[in-house]
């Protein structure tokens, strides 16, 4: 269909781009992309799926990051993986039909990412995936399924690091689809670091820089059963004998943690807002986490990180940063944490984690290129 290809070479001013966000780790990734697209004249429509919807996991991020209220709110809410995916798809499809965007941008690896990616691909709209190519190679993680599927659906694969580019090449993606753009999460971190430090979270919590360790836990495999969580809490209690720990508890894990934590050296607090959490990371002597984004932010901040997982989709934080993959064996976690406290790893920052990834993404998307004129499934159906 030559008409479609011609239409897709429209000037940047004319481009309408839907940016999708829906859960905590999306907001800090979509913001720099929206800003860079709008600065170059694109019309950005922010669609919020409603996957996360409460004050602590959602509203505070819009305030802290200065994101405007969503243009469309899908209200897809909670539910099982399939229920959520289906609800988001049902709600997103008419929005895409009505707005006829030139492209849809999805970020990260949450349910909203894959659900909206599926809708966009089947509607024949160009799809861009920010954070493409990350692989844990652990198919038991819902996020890994989301990553692989959304990359397969995408026209533009916007990779945060060279390892992600290598993964995409190994999986046979075309060179002109793959763009090494750097890490948008770090754009947001650098843009807000000074403001975060000035906001006074440490003082409010009675903490001093270097005087505590910070913990987050929310991966289903770690927190959904007491059999998995209890040994981790046991290891944390041991580390806490040396250094008090603060743990902003994800709603998924909060009640189980309240049951299992039996020492006042581990302090449970509600999930922190973005600025407070950045300040907590920056001031920590060590961070213990199963979060993806926290592995990256600690690397960029040069704060030692011990990852409580057997694998990571962010190996660059291990090879180029301050992250150490400890696995789930409690004795090993304690040993590694003690080693890190005694001799912290030297800070190093991966290439292109420089605060300008959003701008590079906008250049790719608005620059067109051969991915923008590639045949879509709808073209092939004729
Ligand atoms: N974060 C936050 N408050 C918290 C815990 C995390 O603001 O209490 C931020 C953190 O700084 C990072 C993002 O949430 O920007 C990471 O999200 P999360 O750990 O939920 O998801 P993942 O990165 O594992 O997908």
């Amino acid at each position: 269909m030559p008409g479609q290809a011609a239409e897709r070479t429209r000037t940047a001013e004319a481009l309408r781009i839907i940016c999708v966000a829906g859960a905590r780790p999306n907001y800090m990734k979509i913001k720099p992309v929206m800003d860079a697209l709008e600065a170059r004249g694109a019309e950005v429509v922010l669609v919020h799926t409603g996957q996360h919807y409460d004050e602590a996991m959602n509203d505070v991020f819009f305030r802290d990051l200065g994101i405007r209220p969503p243009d469309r709110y899908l209200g897809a809410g909670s539910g099982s993986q399939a229920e959520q995916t289906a609800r988001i798809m049902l709600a997103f499809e008419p929005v895409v039909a009505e707005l006829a965007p030139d492209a849809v941008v999805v970020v990260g690896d949450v349910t909203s990412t894959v659900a909206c990616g599926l809708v966009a691909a089947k509607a024949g709209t160009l799809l861009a995936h920010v954070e493409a190519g990350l692989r844990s190679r652990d198919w038991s993680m819902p996020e890994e399924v989301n990553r692989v599927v959304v990359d397969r659906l995408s026209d533009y694969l916007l990779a945060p690091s060279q390892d992600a580019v290598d993964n995409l090449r190994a999986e046979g993606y075309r060179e002109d689809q793959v763009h090494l753009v750097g890490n948008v999460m770090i754009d947001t971190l650098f843009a807000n670091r000074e403001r975060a430090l000035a906001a006074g979270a440490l003082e409010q919590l009675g903490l001093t820089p270097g005087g505590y360790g910070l913990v987050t836990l929310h991966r289903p495999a770690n927190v959904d059963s007491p059999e998995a969580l209890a040994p981790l809490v046991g290891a944390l209690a041991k580390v806490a004998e040396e250094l008090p720990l603060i743990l902003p508890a994800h709603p998924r894990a909060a009640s189980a943690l309240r049951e299992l934590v039996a020492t006042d050296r581990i302090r449970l607090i509600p999930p922190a807002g973005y600025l407070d959490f950045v300040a907590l990371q920056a001031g920590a002597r060590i961070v213990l986490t199963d979060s993806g984004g926290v592995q990256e932010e600690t690397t960029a901040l040069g704060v030692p990180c011990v990852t409580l997982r057997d694998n990571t989709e962010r190996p660059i934080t291990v090879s180029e940063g301050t992250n150490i993959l400890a696995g789930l064996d409690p004795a090993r976690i304690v040993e590694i944490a003690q080693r890190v406290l005694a001799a912290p790893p030297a800070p190093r920052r991966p290439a292109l984690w420089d605060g300008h990834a959003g701008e590079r993404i906008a250049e790719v998307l608005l620059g067109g290129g051969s991915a923008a004129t590639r045949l879509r499934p709808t073209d092939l159906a004729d």
Side-chain angles (χ1 to χ4, degrees), residues 24-25 28 61 185 218-219 248 271-274 277 281 291-293 297:
R24 178 168 75 182
M28 55 295 286
F61 292 92
M185 193 169 226
H218 74 285
R219 294 260 92 81
Y274 181 76
F277 194 75
Q281 287 184 90
S291 160
E297 289 171 342

Side-chain angles (χ1 to χ4, degrees), residues 97-352:
E98 179 200 325
L99 297 178
D102 295 282
V104 171
V105 178
V106 294
V107 296
D109 55 19
V110 301
T111 306
S112 302
T113 314
V114 75
C116 293
L118 269 166
V119 168
K122 292 200 176 191
T125 305
L126 291 167
L127 179 64
H129 181 212
V130 174
E131 209 174 86
L134 296 185
R135 299 287 183 265
S136 68
R137 300 188 170 75
D138 177 355
W139 204 240
S140 70
M141 289 177 77
E143 297 91 340
E144 181 73 355
V145 177
N146 297 343
R147 289 181 201 116
V148 170
V149 171
V150 78
D151 281 347
R152 185 64 190 84
L153 297 169
S154 294
D155 301 278
Y156 295 95
L157 297 161
L158 303 160
S161 47
Q162 186 58 44
D163 58 294
V165 171
D166 296 343
N167 289 335
L168 293 167
R169 282 198 182 129
E171 290 176 22
Y173 288 100
R174 293 196 330 266
E175 285 297 320
D176 62 356
Q177 288 181 277
V178 179
H179 303 270
L180 177 57
V181 291
N183 191 327
V184 283
M185 193 169 226
I186 305 309
D187 288 12
T188 300
L189 178 69
F190 289 169
N192 290 284
R193 183 174 39 185
E194 297 313 318
R195 222 156 55 87
L197 295 178
L202 265 59
E203 292 80 354
Q204 281 156 30
L205 288 162
L207 300 169
T208 49
Y212 64 95
L214 174 68
V215 183
T216 78
L217 285 172
H218 74 285
R219 294 260 92 81
N222 282 351
V223 304
D224 282 2
S225 78
E227 293 73 31
L229 189 56
L232 291 178
V233 171
L236 294 174
K238 203 93 189 115
V239 176
E241 287 172 14
E242 188 170 335
L243 183 73
L245 300 177
I246 185 145
L247 196 169
H250 192 282
R252 183 175 198 113
S255 68
L257 284 167
R258 275 194 296 271
E259 297 271 306
L260 288 167
V261 170
T263 163
D264 59 8
R265 303 273 297 171
I266 303 178
R267 189 163 148 205
L268 296 177
I269 60 170
Y274 181 76
L275 295 175
D276 288 351
F277 194 75
V278 167
L280 283 170
Q281 287 184 90
R285 210 171 125 204
I286 187 172
V287 175
L288 300 113
T289 190
D290 62 6
S291 160
V294 173
Q295 293 173 59
E296 299 184 330
E297 289 171 342
T298 48
T299 282
L301 291 167
V303 173
C305 178
V306 175
T307 294
L308 308 178
R309 289 172 46 188
D310 286 326
N311 50 59
T312 178
E313 63 288 336
R314 282 136 166 123
I316 193 151
T317 60
V318 176
S319 61
E320 298 278 316
T322 54
N323 189 19
I324 298 172
L325 201 56
L328 298 172
D329 173 53
R332 191 170 140 78
I333 292 168
V334 174
E335 186 219 305
I336 289 178
Q338 287 170 343
R339 184 150 41 93
V340 166
L341 287 172
R348 273 182 308 167
R349 189 179 306 148
L352 303 183

Side-chain angles (χ1 to χ4, degrees), residues 24-90:
R24 178 168 75 182
N26 289 167
Y27 310 130
M28 55 295 286
K29 296 174 191 172
I30 205 70
K31 167 77 167 137
V33 180
M34 289 175 61
D35 285 352
L37 287 170
E38 285 181 337
R40 286 161 182 76
E43 178 196 345
V44 171
V45 181
L46 175 60
V47 173
H48 189 311
T49 64
Q51 194 185 330
H52 281 166
Y53 43 82
D54 64 3
E55 161 64 31
M57 298 297 282
N58 184 74
D59 303 8
V60 63
F61 292 92
F62 280 76
R63 278 200 307 278
D64 277 3
L65 298 171
I67 309 178
R68 66 162 185 265
D71 301 299
R72 298 297 175 102
Y73 186 73
L74 305 184
S78 48
S80 72
Q81 293 276 328
E83 282 168 341
Q84 238 179 31
T85 307
R87 266 200 230 118
I88 294 168
M89 288 182 71
L90 283 171

